[in-house]
Amino acid sequence: MGNLFGSLLATTGAMRAFEKGLSTSQNNVVNVNTPGFAKQRAIFEAERFEPDRNIMGGVSSRGLYNFRDAYSERSVQRRASQASFEEQRATSLQSIEALYPIGEGDGIPGAMNKLFNAFSQLTVAPNDTSSRRATLDRADDVAFTFRRSANLILEERGNTQVSLNSTISQINNIASRIRDLNASRRGDSQSISDPGSEAKLYAALEELSQLVDFSAIPAQDGSMSVYLGGQSLLVIGDRQYNLSTDVVNNRARILNSDGVEITSELAGGKLMGQVDVYNNKIPEYLEDLNTLAINFADRVNSTLFQGIDQNGNIPLEDLYSYDPNLGAAFTIRLNNVTTEQLALADPGEPGGNTNAIRLANLAKDPVIDNQTFAQFYGVAAGKIGRDLAIARNGATIQGDLLTQAKELRADLQQVSLDEEAAYVLQFQRAYQATAQLFRTINEMTDTIINVLMR
């Protein structure tokens, strides 16, 4: 009789274990598309089987096995950070590249060519008032095009700063979610092994990895500490340390919660892609533009001072002026030079065209680093093109590496519906067989009890 009761208890425990396995597979199936979810599997353990001592064996469930792999998670986070860095640079540089037209007659080189063509026309009729007026108009167009191009680039820098502020806000918001998850997991021991709260935590970490590089260190209490760049604390336990940003001397800075700059500690993510464009790329492009504006204005001015105007006088005022402290490209202006004051003739040759020829030849003179104005502009525009190509290539490479990392992670921890279907069928049949065994033992027990009660 004791063996039968022991068998009933053993089969009851086995049914509970198979039910646990079935519910675990069911949870895997319904969370197949849940971000951050890693499959679970019920752990079964055989009980002691000694029928001579009324120990009837069976099976019991000993918790859940979590298939989450720390290495593959970290690999995905690292690759996501690097890919987002390159993607952000490519996006920003693509907008800037559009501000450097290289087509014939477009942008700054187009405006300069029209001016040099106007000087060339004056070599034929140097004293024609309408041609002189047209030349001044073309000269004004060059100055306007420089200012517009510089301000458009500056506008892109402003857009980058706005995006930078938005990214900082996103990082702080994700940090608050991690903080709240830490608090709930620390306050409830069951939450530590809960696949739902764990999925939310790792989904938040993966989202954060697209914005900034970090190291995530799990604690025994189930919480996760997050260190930006592996050094600056963002979240520990239920405490959060917000980031901020400011601009000092035209340089964007990332600050920790104490206001200390940590920009140099960070290397990846969308955030640092924006910082790189703001602090390095745009200033470099503006410097090239200012160099071109300075050399263009100075060479035109100095060439005009080699000649005399229609009245036989040496020029008293530059054609162009600019403020080098504020940036030549931003401030280049056409001075109040009249048509008569254009010095197109050589001294001693009033009414001649010798200086007009010099001005027209500036288009092909090696003025900057042994390059013409057009060639220097082409090199500057090509630099942006190369930077964009490098960023796009980096985004492609890092995107492929991210895909590989995700595939490796999926092989280890992603739910397979085919696999779960097999487990569901297995648990279902095991449960049915155990239930049938339970009914048989129960009937035998009832029979014996009835016999004994007669």
Side-chain angles (χ1 to χ4, degrees), residues 416-443:
S416 167
L417 293 180
D418 290 339
E419 181 185 27
E420 297 306 325
Y423 272 108
V424 167
L425 184 60
Q426 176 183 330
F427 292 135
Q428 181 186 20
R429 288 179 176 176
Y431 187 91
Q432 290 172 343
T434 307
Q436 181 62 43
L437 178 62
F438 180 86
R439 284 194 295 269
T440 300
I441 296 173
N442 190 46
E443 289 173 0

Side-chain angles (χ1 to χ4, degrees), residues 128-189:
D128 181 70
T129 302
S130 61
S131 295
R132 284 172 169 256
R133 181 71 263 167
T135 300
L136 289 177
D137 290 339
R138 298 294 79 76
D140 193 32
D141 289 343
V142 173
F144 172 78
T145 306
F146 266 114
R147 296 195 306 271
R148 181 181 62 182
S149 298
N151 281 293
L152 286 174
I153 296 174
L154 194 64
E155 184 178 322
E156 282 299 321
R157 200 179 196 194
N159 293 337
T160 302
Q161 184 178 358
V162 171
S163 298
L164 185 59
N165 290 328
S166 176
T167 302
I168 289 290
S169 296
Q170 292 177 54
I171 291 172
N172 290 334
N173 288 336
I174 295 173
S176 68
R177 284 159 46 195
I178 296 174
R179 177 203 63 202
D180 293 343
L181 285 167
N182 281 347
S184 65
R185 289 165 66 84
R186 294 177 72 188
D188 182 4
S189 60

Side-chain angles (χ1 to χ4, degrees), residues 111-112 115-116 119 135-136 138-140 142-143 146 292-307 315 317-322 332-335 337 341-344 355-356 358-363 365 367 373:
M112 289 192 295
L115 174 61
F116 293 134
F119 281 131
T135 300
L136 289 177
R138 298 294 79 76
D140 193 32
V142 173
F146 266 114
L292 179 59
I294 289 172
N295 281 272
F296 172 79
D298 288 352
R299 184 55 66 94
V300 170
N301 288 341
S302 63
T303 302
L304 283 169
F305 268 90
Q306 296 179 37
E317 187 174 17
D318 288 330
L319 182 66
Y320 289 111
S321 62
Y322 58 84
I332 184 171
R333 290 284 188 279
L334 191 70
N335 292 325
V337 175
Q341 292 175 321
L342 280 177
L344 304 179
N355 211 34
R358 293 194 189 99
L359 290 164
N361 286 338
L362 288 178
D365 285 350
V367 180
F373 295 125

Side-chain angles (χ1 to χ4, degrees), residues 12 15 33 58 64 80 116 127 139-140 185 241-242 248 269 308 331 339 360 379-380 393 405 439:
T12 301
M15 291 171 67
N33 294 317
L64 299 176
F116 293 134
N127 298 304
D140 193 32
R185 289 165 66 84
Y241 302 89
N242 282 339
V248 175
I308 57 174
T331 58
T339 56
V379 170
N393 186 55
R439 284 194 295 269

